[in-house]
Structure formats: C-alpha cells, structure tokens
Amino acid sequence: MIASDGPLPFERFMEIALYDPDGGFFAGTDLRSQKAGDFLTSPEVSPLFGETLARFVAGERDRIGGPFNLVEVAAGSGSLLRSLLAVEPFDSWAVEVSPPARHALADLLGTDRVVASMDDVVTPLRGVILANELIDNLPMAVAQMTGEGWKERWVGAGDDGLVFVDADPRDEVAAWLDAYAGTVEQGSWVEVQLEAGNWVTSTLGRLDQGCLVVIDYGDTAENLAPRRRDGTLRTYRSHHLGPHPLDEPGATDITADVNFTALVDVARQAGADVSLRRQDDFLAQHGLRERISELRHRELELARSGEEMERLRVRTLRADAETLMHPRGLGDFRVMVARIDGNASPSRDVEEI
Ligand SMILES: C[S@@+](CC[C@H](N)C(=O)[O-])C[C@H]1O[C@@H](n2cnc3c(N)ncnc32)[C@H](O)[C@@H]1O
C-alpha cells in the first residue's frame, strides 16, 4: 500500500499491524493474553481480580435491577469472566476480535454468547460493560512537537524498511493535540487517541442503563506530561518490551499509555457520570484488602496446623492478589467508570488522582 499510494497515518498502520485478518497480531492462531503468550494482565495474574469485580458488578445489578447483562469486550482467554462468573453467574457476553480467543471463550459461555463485534450483543443493553486492557490497543495517530509546531508522524518506506515521515496534522488530530497534549517541549511525542474516544462514545451509546468500566495503563493528560520526551508508544512480545513499532508489523503488540483525560471528556459528552481511580484504590474499595488479610490469617492457621501444601497454595493466592495492588505495577492502572443514569458517583473523583 505504501509503495503504491504513499505514506500511511500511523493509526492506519497500527490497525493493519494488529487487526488485519491476514497477518495482524490479534488475528493469528496464538492466544495472546496468557502465561505462555505475550502479556500478563490482571485477570491472568490472579483470580481475585475477577472475584473483586464480581462484587462491583453485583452492586450495579442491585442498583439498577433486571434485566441485567454483563459484557466483557476484549475478553481474551476468558480469565476475567471465568473468575467473575465463579462468584455469581451473571447473564454474560464476550466480544473478541481474535479467533483463538473466541474459541477459548466459547468453552465458557457457549458460541452464541461470544461475538466479534458489539453490534451482535443483546439490545437494549442494561448492565455492565467491562474492558480491561483494550483501549491501549486501539489504533492511534502519533505526533511530534518540532521547531515548526506539531507534525504528525506517518509511516513511509525507507531504504532499509519502514520509517516515520512528517505530515501536517490532520484537522481532527490538531484539535485533539490542542485539547489533550498539554504543554510539551520541542521533540516531545504524543499519541493521539481519537479511536479510543470514538469507541467510548459508541459503546456508551449502546447502554440503556448501567456502566462502562475501562481499565488500563495510562494517566491524566497532566500526569503523562513528564513522559512526553520519548512518548509512550511501545511494543510487547513474550512478556518483554519488543522492537521499534515500525519493525516486524504483525509480530508484536503495539500499545501506548491511555490518556484518560480525553476519555473522561468524551464519556461526559456522551451523557455519562464519570469517576476515575487508581486500580489499587478501586480494588480496595471493593474489598480486596480485606480478602488479602483473610488469606494472611489463613496462612498462619495452616502454618500452625502443619498443612504445608495448602499453606503454599494460599500463600501463592495471596501474593498474586497483592500484585494486583502494587502501587508501581498493576495498582497504578486506572479504572474509569462511566454511568449512564442519574445515580452516579460525583465527577470530582477525577481530581483525586
Ligand atoms: C491485552 S489483551 C487483554 C485481554 C483481557 N481483557 C485480559 O485482561 O486478559 C487485549 C485483547 O483485546 C482484544 N481486542 C483488541 N482489539 C479489540 C477490539 N476492537 N474489540 C474486541 N477485542 C479486541 C485482543 O484480541 C486481545 O485478546
């Protein structure tokens, strides 16, 4: 395409590299989110992530009543739904673009509840829509602040492979940069997450009543500012940082930190009441600290009674749950809850970060 039509916006390149049915990273035969895959997510680290979210989902169900559905978008291997539904069997759907992930999810929910697009989920929709580590994979543009102002970085062909080339920012990119890039120095890189905003708007548009929960790495525009010198665009492969995003397209996960200020804004514009918290605070608010201390007590009891195998099992469960709360690791993720109805928590929660 580049040879015949010229350079592509980075977001188009990212869309092809991740999602092309013929060679995209998420289209192949490998299941990406699991211990043997490319990334370990919160539900893959500990079943207590799903168990804790089950308490949140039950609270929402009690608040809005029935009919009530749970939808997980980007459900991956099903690790979150499996642990969540073990607590309470909510009427659930999974949305996944990856064929091997859909296959794994069908074992859990049945084929009619596992779909490739939100278009195929039940309507009208009342309930909770969860998306853990989806938004960071949605195609984004990239821009760099130069001596002549913002330049978009498109993808062109060089002598030795793909290279970034300059382009004047498209109007929508320039408008997003004005609103969410913050004050940056010359040379700074910013990922322009228009598609993430479109996804939040269209997903909230499908909710009659209930909430959308977006969990991901990222921060407010202001807190992301110190990381702008090199930007946050990166790749992962086999649990490690991978090569430059333009190298080996289709063979690496391309991702960047989510700009939650932009997401909170679009969710509010869609009529939602929005809260934004750290993952450690959100999980603590829904009982994970108490659960961890219960496990610690159990470990002591088992040590006293000499049940060593069981003590080790409980210890692993407790240590994995603590990983979900690590303040510089998974605990530092953000949880955005966007509610479509009048009873939401007040928006001032955003300022607490
Ligand atoms: C990092 S994994 C997270 C999987 C799971 N949520 C978890 O926490 O383990 C990202 C997943 O999102 C899926 N995905 C990416 N873009 C998607 C989209 N637009 N709609 C549905 N699923 C998508 C991928 O196939 C992949 O399984």
Side-chain angles (χ1 to χ4, degrees), residues 19 26 33 39 41-44 72-77 79 95-98 101 116 132-134 136-138 199 253:
Y19 299 108
F26 289 121
S33 55
F39 29 75
T41 59
S42 292
E44 296 286 337
E72 189 188 0
V73 189
S77 68
S79 49
V95 182
E96 246 301 337
V97 290
S98 150
N132 186 57
E133 291 203 37
L134 161 70
D136 67 90
N137 278 138
L138 295 183
W199 185 85
D253 178 26

Side-chain angles (χ1 to χ4, degrees), residues 16-337:
I16 297 168
L18 293 185
Y19 299 108
D20 189 81
D22 191 12
F25 179 76
F26 289 121
T29 52
D30 296 340
L31 190 50
R32 301 294 188 178
S33 55
Q34 56 176 348
K35 287 203 170 68
D38 294 280
F39 29 75
L40 262 191
T41 59
S42 292
E44 296 286 337
V45 164
S46 167
L48 270 67
F49 186 71
E51 187 190 292
T52 308
L53 276 168
R55 286 193 282 277
F56 169 83
V57 174
E60 290 298 304
R61 190 265 328 276
D62 295 348
R63 198 172 62 81
I64 70 172
F68 182 90
N69 283 100
L70 172 64
V71 180
E72 189 188 0
V73 189
S77 68
S79 49
L80 173 53
L81 279 174
R82 196 169 293 109
S83 49
L84 196 159
L85 298 179
V87 178
E88 195 172 338
F90 298 102
D91 194 352
S92 302
W93 295 74
V95 182
E96 246 301 337
V97 290
S98 150
R102 281 205 298 277
H103 188 74
L105 288 158
D107 289 344
L108 181 68
L109 298 179
T111 44
D112 56 333
R113 290 308 186 93
V114 181
V115 295
S117 153
M118 280 298 287
D119 291 342
D120 301 321
V121 170
V122 65
T123 52
L125 181 56
R126 299 177 76 259
V128 173
I129 304 174
L130 293 176
N132 186 57
E133 291 203 37
L134 161 70
I135 295 283
D136 67 90
N137 278 138
L138 295 183
M140 54 194 87
V142 284
Q144 192 174 21
M145 177 56 91
T146 71
E148 300 159 28
W150 287 110
K151 289 285 177 196
E152 253 194 271
R153 299 299 193 198
W154 286 29
V155 181
D159 291 340
D160 297 322
L162 298 174
V163 290
F164 278 130
V165 295
D166 279 359
D168 288 331
R170 291 163 288 160
D171 289 348
E172 65 274 25
V173 170
W176 193 100
L177 287 164
D178 280 348
Y180 304 117
T183 313
V184 294
E185 291 170 10
Q186 194 171 319
S188 297
W189 290 81
V190 175
E191 305 81 25
V192 178
Q193 295 169 340
L194 287 158
E195 184 56 30
N198 294 340
W199 185 85
V200 166
T201 305
S202 86
T203 305
L204 284 172
R206 294 169 191 275
L207 253 187
D208 255 29
Q209 193 181 13
C211 67
L212 166 66
V213 183
V214 169
I215 308 173
D216 223 310
Y217 35 85
D219 213 325
T220 58
E222 192 186 357
N223 290 346
L224 284 172
R227 302 189 52 204
R228 288 294 170 217
R229 204 176 67 88
D230 299 319
T232 70
L233 190 68
R234 57 197 183 271
T235 68
Y236 284 110
R237 184 163 57 194
S238 308
H239 303 298
H240 295 289
L241 281 174
H244 187 278
L246 299 188
D247 296 343
E248 305 179 50
T252 65
D253 178 26
I254 305 175
T255 180
D257 277 34
V258 173
N259 186 319
F260 276 99
T261 302
L263 289 194
V264 167
D265 270 9
V266 292
R268 287 201 177 123
Q269 283 155 20
D273 282 306
V274 187
S275 71
L276 182 65
R277 286 192 176 75
R278 295 172 52 86
Q279 173 162 306
D280 47 11
D281 290 342
F282 179 85
L283 295 176
Q285 189 193 355
H286 294 95
L288 187 56
R289 273 198 221 294
E290 288 78 6
R291 187 72 169 89
I292 288 172
S293 82
E294 265 170 41
L295 289 171
R296 203 172 279 122
H297 283 118
R298 181 83 188 118
E299 266 177 82
L300 283 173
E301 281 169 15
L302 291 164
R304 279 189 210 109
S305 60
E307 291 168 78
E308 191 54 13
M309 290 309 288
E310 180 60 6
R311 187 187 72 80
L312 288 175
R313 190 191 68 78
V314 172
R315 194 179 90 153
T316 304
L317 196 59
R318 193 254 307 153
D320 290 346
E322 283 173 345
T323 305
L324 299 174
M325 308 277 275
H326 194 290
R328 287 187 306 283
L330 291 170
D332 190 37
F333 277 37
R334 299 291 179 266
V335 181
M336 181 182 89
V337 178

